[in-house]
Amino acid sequence: MTDQSPTLLFVYEPERACFDRLVAEGSPPTRAAEIASYLAQSTDIEPEFDAMAQACARRGLRFDPVTLDDAPQVLAGRDPERSLVWTITDGIAYFRGGAGPALARLNGLPTLGADDSLFALCQDKFRSGAVLRALGLPVPEAGLARNGEWLAEPPASASGYFVKPNRLGAKIGIFSDSRCHSLEHALDLSRRVFAAYRDDVVVQPYVAGRNVRTSFLAVQPEAGVEALGTFFVDSGGDFQTMEDSLALYGETGAEARAAGTYAEPELVPVAASQPLAAERIGASASRLMQALGLRDVFSMDFRVEADDTVHLIEFEVCPGLPCFDFRAYCQAQWGLGLAEAVAETAARRFSSRG
């Protein structure tokens, strides 16, 4: 007899599948491993699938983790009344997770999280920044370069520039000299990024301040900005490089834990020392939820200056659920571990339908 329980379909792209595909397409294995490392959250979350299945079962749900390559077959023919699709890895270029919510829509299945149009928007940092600025949000202006040529020149900047990939990963600068002081250096960085990853670069005026991560999970469907978790992320560096990222997640992070050398950045609530900045961040999140349709689960990254000036760097529709910052948020805001937070969120969605 077929199990008729309501089912949470947890769609993800495995790190290994991405690596194998990139190598087959001609990427050098070293570069393919670096690129695929952005999917380390899928590697880190797999050991928790049993705990998630048990937490779901306690709430009368089935938990079904689905790899992206299997999703077209698994989602086809599902009963929309007994299905909920939660896509946990994103991507429109090197990664393909953005296909998850599109497949759900194709099959008429309800989703948890943003729709597929936002999956595409947030992964193109230049276009995303243009939209956010048009909505009046405090996003640095930007230029766009490809392999040493300007596609759009950035504004003049007395503070120098920050150079980051346009579609690869998120806010990290890749190289230790990603903060630079001339447009010539910025173009040189664009050549290096293009040679290594075949990506354009966004070139923004450098903005000072501390790094802030804002996380959101609507465990309760009606939750709004009051459920945001906004923390300074103090790692000791001005910005994150590829090397820093690799040290926190996936196999490299696991090796560091085994060797006793793993160190997470410190998380400090912004409201404790800069309540005005926290209020401004909340207003930005509210604007994105109202104007763009961000919902259910997302994150935002900011730079906050000592005078409470806030700079929105980016938003993400697939925050790293198993990452230290999101776990800390779930515990601080909802009093739940990750598996319980996932299961409770899904269970309340099914209940709200009824």
Side-chain angles (χ1 to χ4, degrees):
M1 182 174 177
T2 303
D3 188 346
Q4 298 296 307
S5 301
T7 301
L8 173 60
L9 297 145
F10 217 51
V11 180
Y12 67 104
E13 181 176 11
E15 190 176 0
R16 183 70 201 192
C18 176
F19 172 83
D20 289 343
R21 177 173 51 81
L22 291 171
V23 171
E25 292 172 355
S27 293
T30 300
R31 294 302 186 193
E34 289 180 351
I35 293 169
S37 73
Y38 285 101
L39 294 172
Q41 61 172 299
S42 64
T43 301
D44 291 342
I45 205 168
E46 283 190 28
E48 305 199 45
F49 284 167
D50 285 346
M52 291 179 180
Q54 293 168 19
C56 283
R58 287 193 291 272
R59 293 163 173 86
L61 309 180
R62 284 188 60 219
F63 176 78
D64 190 357
V66 181
T67 63
L68 187 63
D69 288 327
D70 292 336
Q73 293 75 35
V74 174
L75 300 189
R78 288 275 179 170
D79 181 355
E81 294 298 319
R82 291 195 291 269
S83 303
L84 178 65
V85 178
W86 187 341
T87 300
I88 67 164
T89 53
D90 54 21
I92 56 171
Y94 307 90
F95 322 118
R96 301 166 295 152
L103 286 168
R105 184 158 62 90
L106 180 67
N107 287 283
L109 302 177
T111 60
L112 192 143
D115 66 41
D116 41 303
S117 67
L118 289 191
F119 272 69
L121 180 63
C122 77
Q123 285 294 298
D124 188 314
K125 304 305 177 186
F126 184 73
R127 294 180 184 178
S128 174
V131 171
L132 297 178
R133 285 193 298 276
L135 291 173
L137 290 158
V139 180
E141 293 187 59
L144 186 69
R146 177 180 300 154
N147 195 23
E149 300 289 338
W150 291 116
L151 301 178
E153 290 197 28
S157 172
S159 61
Y161 299 92
F162 189 71
V163 181
K164 61 184 180 182
N166 186 44
R167 300 174 303 164
L168 175 62
K171 64 188 176 299
I172 75 169
I174 299 291
F175 306 116
S176 60
D177 59 342
S178 292
R179 181 190 175 185
C180 61
H181 296 279
S182 72
L183 292 178
E184 291 76 14
H185 192 163
L187 287 176
D188 179 62
L189 285 165
S190 81
R191 295 184 188 96
R192 289 157 58 188
V193 168
F194 190 83
Y197 308 108
R198 291 296 187 267
D199 201 6
D200 301 338
V201 297
V202 173
V203 181
Q204 296 175 320
Y206 173 81
V207 293
R210 295 168 70 184
N211 295 317
V212 169
R213 167 61 58 85
T214 293
S215 299
F216 181 81
L217 177 65
V219 173
Q220 298 173 349
E222 67 276 10
V225 292
E226 76 286 347
L228 292 172
T230 300
F231 298 89
F232 289 115
V233 184
D234 293 325
S235 60
D238 186 32
F239 60 88
Q240 195 177 63
T241 65
M242 173 68 84
E243 183 178 355
D244 296 332
S245 179
L246 288 171
L248 287 173
Y249 313 115
E251 292 182 4
T252 305
E255 291 170 0
R257 288 185 182 89
T261 58
Y262 178 79
E264 293 176 351
E266 184 180 4
L267 298 174
V268 181
V270 173
S273 59
Q274 294 188 244
L276 178 56
E279 182 180 332
R280 289 172 173 171
I281 288 170
S284 292
S286 180
R287 177 71 170 141
L288 283 180
M289 293 171 79
Q290 183 269 330
L292 282 188
L294 276 188
R295 64 176 187 263
D296 297 336
V297 58
F298 60 84
S299 66
M300 304 169 70
D301 288 287
F302 295 84
R303 297 273 276 185
V304 172
E305 299 189 46
D307 66 357
D308 294 319
T309 298
V310 168
H311 306 277
L312 172 58
I313 303 304
E314 68 168 11
F315 73 92
E316 293 289 348
V317 295
C318 281
L321 300 184
C323 298
F324 67 94
D325 55 306
F326 199 83
R327 290 179 187 274
Y329 161 73
C330 288
Q331 192 62 54
Q333 177 61 38
W334 300 108
L336 296 171
L338 181 59
E340 294 292 329
V342 167
E344 185 67 14
T345 301
R348 286 175 179 263
R349 288 307 181 282
F350 280 110
S351 295
S352 67
R353 290 192 215 166

